[in-house]
Amino acid sequence: MNLEKNITLVDTAQQKVNTWLEGNYDEETKTAIRQLLETDQTDALNDAFYQDLEFGTGGLRGIMGVGSNRMNRYTLGMATQGLSNYLLKSFPDQEIKVAIAHDSRNNSDAFAQIVADVFSANGITVYFFEGLRPTPELSFTIRELGCQSGVVLTASHNPKEYNGYKAYWTDGAQVTAPHDKNIIAEVNAIKSIEDVKFQGNPEKIHVIGAEIDEKYLQKVASLSVSKEAIHRQHNLKIVYTPLHGTGITLVPRALQMFGFSNVTIVEEQATPDGNFPTVVYPNPEEKDAMKLAVEKAKAIDADLVLATDPDADRVGIAVKDLKGEFVLLNGNQTGSLLIYYMLNAWKKAGKITGNEYVVNTIVTTDLINHIAEKMGVKNYETLTGFKYIAEVIREQELSGNGATYIAGGEESYGYMIGDFVRDKDGVASCAMIAEMAAVVKDQGKTLFELMIEMYKEFGFYKEDLISITKKGMNGAKEIAQMMSDLRANPPQEIAGSKVVELRDFKTGQIKNFETGAETKTTTESSNVLQFLTADGSKISARPSGTEPKIKFYFSVNEKLEKAEDFDQVDQKLTNKIKAIVADLQLK
């Protein structure tokens, strides 16, 4: 191992490096490790080997490369073997079926083949997409083909160095309790690559493609509630970018099936490419990622800009403001508009009976709660993650109460209309956002003006987010310490407003400091803290489950009396968020 180079590794990394060099790993992998040793890449080796890449409640996500803490053939194989073992125990004496899809990331197709091989080697029937496909279609496919599980290879909107592995259950949702913990236990029980069956069985692997696309798109098309308005506004100018991802396979077709005939694709970003050459982060939340699409929209005087992330489950949009300038809407704004539009459309159609519901997460704007309440629709709040929104739908179905799910969403640009998919769906969301734009244009308005009408009716809610990244071996410890300090010494006042309520979703305790009342949260335990202040502000602290980050969410609100006051109130809310950030010393 060229120890004369004085490579000093932490004990766990040293042990794992020895195992990989001496074990039944391929020669290319061993050569890469030796090169790191010979070039004194101590930090790189420590980070790549100090731990096993954690199989969390959603699956795997990490940097690609050699090592136990990286996405590669071996970490994928061990994860899939563990999932296979759990499936075989959970569904004895029956045919087990899984579906597999992948996005446009580097190695996603090869990783998907490895996963298919391991499943098939364990006697599991595999439905394997012929090429890249959006994540929501994978969720649909599990339900459509009666699969017990499914996997999509994607790292969503992470940088190009990352890849990931998301596991799904029988209802097409990402795994939740008790299956998530049980699968993790089975994965952790795989101690050696010798336990993994890598040699696939081609007879068990069935290629799928166009036939599933058609069934999924028909379901998407069935969501439309304003066909007449689209017919009149079919020429609505839409600019769409898939940001080098899977959206190109289905979003343009979905828009066409809805009736839109004037869609311009951002050609520079139309070809799937895991290097994401035109962006640093392929994330529609990022202004830079939306730059080319907005420039195209300005050039052709478009009505609407749509962008999806690499696996097409998230959507970012740009619309014209009151001055005719394109502005980006955030996930809370777009999600609120979709709920506002859908509930009004259902009410107009006479479909609101009092047994309908919408769902959003605890870090999403409270504006959705107020809209639902006024419309006579139940609103459920869940922990962060679409698997929890899907869990609410599953619970409602099992209750037999006949309740109808309309829509749901989360602040991180994910929305789900209808329940034939059980994950956030960028394809269907693009189509519904375009329909919403067509309806308001038919009324002589813009989506921005619709948003102002919503704010005038329910209050101007403004949200923001700060992510603090803590990388490497010590990052997790630093994040844990930040949460520990907040619990031990919670702020009594934030930006001049008294903290009136503390919600600790880890302990399940809600404390009202004004009344002294203590109640319980209605969710399972999660490491999230929320502080509610007397002026109606809400501040949430939550470590990310997929990235080395801790996220702070801010929500503030004010009344908006008239449209002309928008800029003034917007600035006031911006200043309030800045004051909160400064008071909590987050920048």
Side-chain angles (χ1 to χ4, degrees):
M1 289 194 307
N2 212 2
L3 292 177
E4 67 272 14
K5 288 275 188 180
N6 295 317
I7 294 290
T8 305
L9 302 180
V10 297
D11 289 344
T12 53
Q14 185 67 69
Q15 291 167 10
K16 291 180 186 298
V17 165
N18 292 342
T19 298
W20 281 54
L21 286 173
E22 296 164 7
N24 191 24
Y25 293 79
D26 65 87
E27 196 54 41
E28 184 180 353
T29 294
K30 292 181 180 182
T31 298
I33 296 171
R34 292 189 190 103
Q35 286 176 345
L36 289 170
L37 286 164
E38 290 166 3
T39 54
D40 298 337
Q41 299 292 312
T42 307
D43 290 343
L45 279 164
N46 275 328
D47 195 51
F49 284 98
Y50 82 96
Q51 66 173 8
D52 291 334
L53 185 62
E54 183 181 2
F55 192 99
T57 55
L60 296 170
R61 188 177 297 186
I63 295 170
M64 292 177 280
V66 299
S68 60
N69 191 36
R70 295 286 185 261
M71 285 287 293
N72 53 59
R73 168 182 178 79
Y74 302 106
T75 53
L76 277 171
M78 294 171 79
T80 307
Q81 186 63 54
L83 177 53
S84 297
N85 291 349
Y86 184 65
L87 287 168
L88 291 165
K89 289 179 180 178
S90 300
F91 303 100
D93 305 319
Q94 60 178 290
E95 181 189 15
I96 300 172
K97 298 182 289 186
V98 301
I100 300 173
H102 68 82
D103 70 3
S104 59
R105 288 180 175 273
N106 295 331
N107 299 314
S108 280
D109 53 352
F111 286 167
Q113 185 64 58
I114 292 166
V115 173
D117 286 343
V118 175
F119 277 133
S120 66
N122 281 276
I124 294 171
T125 300
V126 177
Y127 294 102
F128 189 67
F129 271 103
E130 62 189 1
L132 75 171
R133 289 297 192 282
T135 288
E137 188 176 9
L138 184 276
S139 173
F140 170 80
T141 303
I142 292 168
R143 298 173 58 78
E144 178 68 21
L145 298 181
C147 296
Q148 283 81 7
S149 183
V151 169
V152 62
L153 283 301
T154 178
S156 189
H157 56 288
N158 279 65
K160 65 182 180 181
E161 295 81 12
Y162 283 78
N163 215 316
Y165 174 111
K166 291 201 290 190
Y168 291 75
W169 204 240
T170 56
D171 63 344
Q174 289 187 60
V175 290
T176 54
H179 305 299
D180 51 1
K181 300 293 194 297
N182 293 342
I183 293 170
I184 290 169
E186 290 288 348
V187 172
N188 291 340
I190 307 294
K191 299 301 183 184
S192 166
I193 61 167
E194 305 299 333
D195 298 332
V196 182
K197 298 177 181 178
F198 281 107
Q199 191 62 48
N201 179 359
E203 293 182 2
K204 283 286 185 181
I205 302 175
H206 307 280
V207 177
I208 57 175
E211 70 281 8
I212 298 295
D213 296 343
E214 293 307 317
K215 290 180 179 180
Y216 168 71
L217 287 169
Q218 288 295 335
K219 283 287 190 181
V220 171
S222 72
L223 295 172
S224 178
V225 288
S226 302
K227 291 182 174 64
E228 299 84 0
I230 294 176
H231 182 71
R232 289 188 292 269
Q233 300 295 335
H234 68 90
N235 205 37
L236 184 84
K237 287 185 181 178
I238 302 169
V239 169
Y240 169 65
T241 174
L243 296 178
H244 306 289
T246 62
I248 193 66
T249 63
L250 293 182
V251 172
R253 288 188 62 197
L255 291 169
Q256 182 184 37
M257 289 177 73
F258 258 57
F260 293 103
S261 58
N262 193 2
V263 179
T264 299
I265 309 293
V266 179
E267 291 299 332
E268 301 95 320
Q269 298 174 328
T271 302
D273 188 337
N275 291 315
F276 309 115
T278 65
V279 295
V280 177
Y281 297 101
N283 184 355
E285 296 180 55
E286 300 281 346
K287 186 176 182 180
D288 286 347
M290 300 288 284
K291 184 180 178 183
L292 288 177
V294 171
E295 287 175 354
K296 177 70 73 175
K298 289 177 180 177
I300 68 171
D301 191 28
D303 298 293
L304 174 66
V305 175
L306 298 167
T308 51
D309 66 344
D311 67 323
D313 61 354
R314 299 170 192 252
V315 182
I317 75 171
V319 300
K320 289 179 181 175
D321 65 10
L322 297 178
K323 305 180 189 72
E325 298 292 326
F326 276 98
V327 292
L328 306 183
L329 299 192
N330 64 37
N332 284 296
Q333 291 171 320
T334 304
S336 298
L337 277 171
L338 275 169
I339 299 290
Y340 185 60
Y341 166 70
M342 291 295 293
L343 297 193
N344 273 304
W346 276 53
K347 187 175 182 180
K348 184 179 178 181
K351 295 169 65 177
I352 299 293
T353 67
N355 201 26
E356 291 76 29
Y357 66 99
V358 297
V359 193
N360 60 269
T361 68
I362 57 174
V363 295
T364 302
T365 178
D366 288 338
L367 176 56
I368 290 174
N369 305 348
H370 301 311
I371 294 169
E373 183 180 17
K374 184 171 182 180
M375 296 285 190
V377 170
K378 173 75 174 174
N379 174 243
Y380 292 95
E381 282 194 326
T382 73
L383 295 175
T384 306
F386 250 78
K387 62 183 181 180
Y388 296 113
I389 293 178
E391 189 174 46
V392 170
I393 299 173
R394 183 165 65 248
E395 289 169 351
Q396 292 300 306
E397 288 175 339
L398 291 172
S399 73
N401 63 13
T404 302
Y405 170 85
I406 297 178
E410 61 183 5
E411 50 72 40
S412 55
Y413 292 58
Y415 325 105
M416 190 175 88
I417 319 296
D419 62 3
F420 58 90
V421 164
R422 298 298 166 91
D423 204 351
K424 49 188 175 285
D425 187 344
V427 180
S429 297
C430 279
M432 290 307 302
I433 292 165
E435 174 171 300
M436 180 167 59
V439 168
V440 295
K441 187 172 184 180
D442 204 44
Q443 299 166 351
K445 297 182 293 191
T446 66
L447 279 177
F448 198 86
E449 288 170 325
L450 180 69
M451 184 173 72
I452 288 177
E453 287 181 9
M454 178 177 69
Y455 286 158
K456 285 166 62 180
E457 186 173 355
F458 296 100
F460 189 161
Y461 281 73
K462 181 160 187 161
E463 285 78 26
D464 205 350
L465 165 70
I466 286 179
S467 290
I468 300 174
T469 300
K470 301 285 186 180
K471 291 185 178 180
M473 290 186 292
N474 294 321
K477 293 178 183 177
E478 292 178 49
I479 289 171
Q481 188 60 51
M482 291 175 75
M483 292 298 288
S484 179
D485 291 345
L486 279 171
R487 284 192 170 89
N489 299 292
Q492 297 181 358
E493 188 177 278
I494 300 176
S497 186
K498 185 179 179 183
V499 175
V500 296
E501 186 171 292
L502 169 61
R503 299 173 181 174
D504 189 336
F505 289 87
K506 187 174 183 179
T507 64
Q509 296 289 324
I510 300 175
K511 295 181 182 179
N512 187 305
F513 298 117
E514 291 187 314
T515 65
E518 292 191 13
T519 54
K520 295 280 188 181
T521 61
T522 58
T523 66
E524 65 181 78
S525 177
S526 183
N527 192 15
V528 182
L529 285 170
Q530 284 189 332
F531 305 95
L532 278 64
T533 66
D535 67 357
S537 301
K538 181 170 76 174
I539 299 93
S540 307
R542 171 185 164 264
S544 171
T546 56
E547 301 170 90
K549 293 179 178 180
I550 181 169
K551 298 181 178 182
F552 289 87
Y553 305 79
F554 314 101
S555 178
V556 296
N557 63 87
E558 291 279 347
K559 286 185 177 179
L560 180 64
E561 301 291 350
K562 51 186 185 293
E564 304 88 84
D565 296 338
F566 177 86
D567 288 341
Q568 180 184 343
V569 177
D570 184 51
Q571 188 59 54
K572 184 177 181 180
L573 293 173
T574 298
N575 292 339
K576 186 181 284 191
I577 290 174
K578 286 180 179 178
I580 292 170
V581 171
D583 200 14
L584 294 176
Q585 298 181 338
L586 297 176
K587 275 195 174 179

